[in-house]
Amino acid sequence: RGLAGKGMVYMSALVDRINRFNPTSELSGLNNGAKNEWRSVSKLMYDLLEKSSRLKAKTNGLFSIEFEGVSKLPNGAHGYELNNENGQYSVKLNKDTFLNFGGIGKGFIVDKVYDFLNERGAKNILVNAGGDLRARSIEAPWKVGIMNPYQKGHCVACLKIRNSAVVSSGITARNVMKKGEKYTHFFNANSKQYMVKTPYSQVTVQGDLAAEAEVYAKCLLMGSNLTLSYGFKGLGVRENTRKVCRL
């Protein structure tokens, strides 16, 4: 099996470990296990929790992985604690916290698979997880089409990338029904509600890391005045006019 095949196997294994719908995943073990006590976790889980914590602070609490327990937390507060002593990783969840990596998981996995391939000598790399990708080319740049959310098969832009991540997030493909009313699937951790409307129907963010780009794209789509980190740039499709704009 070639390196690309090994990368796909590694990606599948990562998905299994952080998937809340997999009853045997490490994440399910945390969510369903004892609360308010320290639990050992893998370095992978620790790294994902630590990155999520930093990005929650960066987005002023708009992004959160404490999906089901966030309603009982003050804005910006964390529903878990982390500890790292001599390479022994542990986490303590409060009694109301259930973790959900839906806003960062794909990007995090893309970054991990990219590193996996890079460490094994791959020169030209493209890791694509359906809307979240990261690529490198030592030859001609990769061409990445940004889908038009209102016209299937058409693009609103085409990016040429040599070494970066590109992540798109939008409201046209998925919705949530609550009490007969349609909401977007984007959860605002500060208002603690699914959003009925967003200023953009789609946001694309390009930058160094897919995990950060995924979080930034979702927050910008929800109308955040977030200042993108150095090296990141965004492109949005306005929901009311359907016009493309730079963010």
Side-chain angles (χ1 to χ4, degrees):
R1 176 175 285 166
L3 186 54
K6 292 178 181 178
M8 294 179 67
V9 171
Y10 181 57
M11 176 181 281
S12 180
L14 292 177
V15 171
D16 285 343
R17 290 177 65 179
I18 67 170
N19 184 355
R20 72 184 189 279
F21 299 114
N22 176 4
T24 63
S25 71
E26 185 175 5
L27 176 57
S28 292
L30 284 177
N31 281 336
N32 299 326
K35 303 294 176 69
N36 289 323
E37 63 180 59
W38 290 103
R39 309 269 306 282
S40 295
V41 294
S42 66
K43 185 178 186 305
L44 177 86
M45 180 62 68
Y46 181 91
D47 289 346
L48 180 49
L49 290 168
E50 194 275 332
K51 182 181 286 284
S52 298
S53 180
R54 284 190 288 108
L55 287 169
K56 182 172 185 174
K58 168 70 177 177
T59 61
N60 297 315
L62 182 59
F63 162 74
S64 176
I65 61 171
E66 297 103 325
F67 189 77
E68 294 182 44
V70 72
S71 62
K72 299 183 179 181
L73 292 172
N75 284 354
H78 294 288
Y80 60 91
E81 300 175 57
L82 293 171
N83 189 47
N84 174 10
E85 291 187 5
N86 301 317
Q88 299 297 312
Y89 305 100
S90 57
V91 61
K92 180 165 65 174
L93 275 60
N94 73 24
K95 64 183 179 66
D96 299 313
T97 297
F98 287 84
L99 303 176
N100 179 346
F101 295 128
I104 190 174
K106 279 204 300 182
F108 180 81
I109 288 172
V110 166
D111 287 332
K112 286 294 184 182
V113 175
Y114 178 96
D115 291 342
F116 175 91
L117 296 172
N118 182 52
E119 290 164 2
R120 286 157 180 77
K123 303 300 182 184
N124 296 305
I125 301 173
L126 175 63
V127 182
N128 188 355
D132 296 43
L133 68 83
R134 186 173 169 190
R136 180 180 70 197
S137 174
I138 61 173
E139 300 168 354
W142 294 97
K143 294 181 180 179
V144 179
I146 307 303
M147 181 187 74
N148 186 326
Y150 298 107
Q151 283 186 290
K152 288 187 177 181
H154 293 76
C155 295
V156 297
C158 181
L159 306 179
K160 294 181 179 181
I161 62 173
R162 289 189 180 276
N163 189 7
S164 67
V166 177
V167 174
S168 292
S169 192
I171 64 172
T172 56
R174 293 173 58 194
N175 293 286
V176 174
M177 295 299 298
K178 293 186 67 177
K179 297 180 180 179
E181 187 172 1
K182 185 168 73 173
Y183 293 77
T184 73
H185 67 286
F186 290 93
F187 187 81
N188 184 319
N190 286 334
S191 67
K192 301 174 176 57
Q193 295 178 339
Y194 285 102
M195 299 193 69
V196 177
K197 292 185 178 181
T198 60
Y200 303 98
S201 55
Q202 179 175 285
V203 167
T204 298
V205 171
Q206 179 181 358
D208 295 333
L209 298 170
E212 277 83 346
E214 180 177 4
V215 170
Y216 295 159
K218 287 175 169 60
C219 289
L220 288 170
L221 188 140
M222 289 190 286
S224 169
N225 59 0
L226 171 74
T227 299
L228 290 175
S229 298
Y230 178 78
F232 286 80
K233 53 188 177 182
L235 188 73
V237 179
R238 293 197 179 277
E239 201 276 332
N240 54 350
T241 64
R242 301 189 177 185
K243 289 185 178 180
V244 180
C245 60
R246 294 192 179 277
L247 304 174

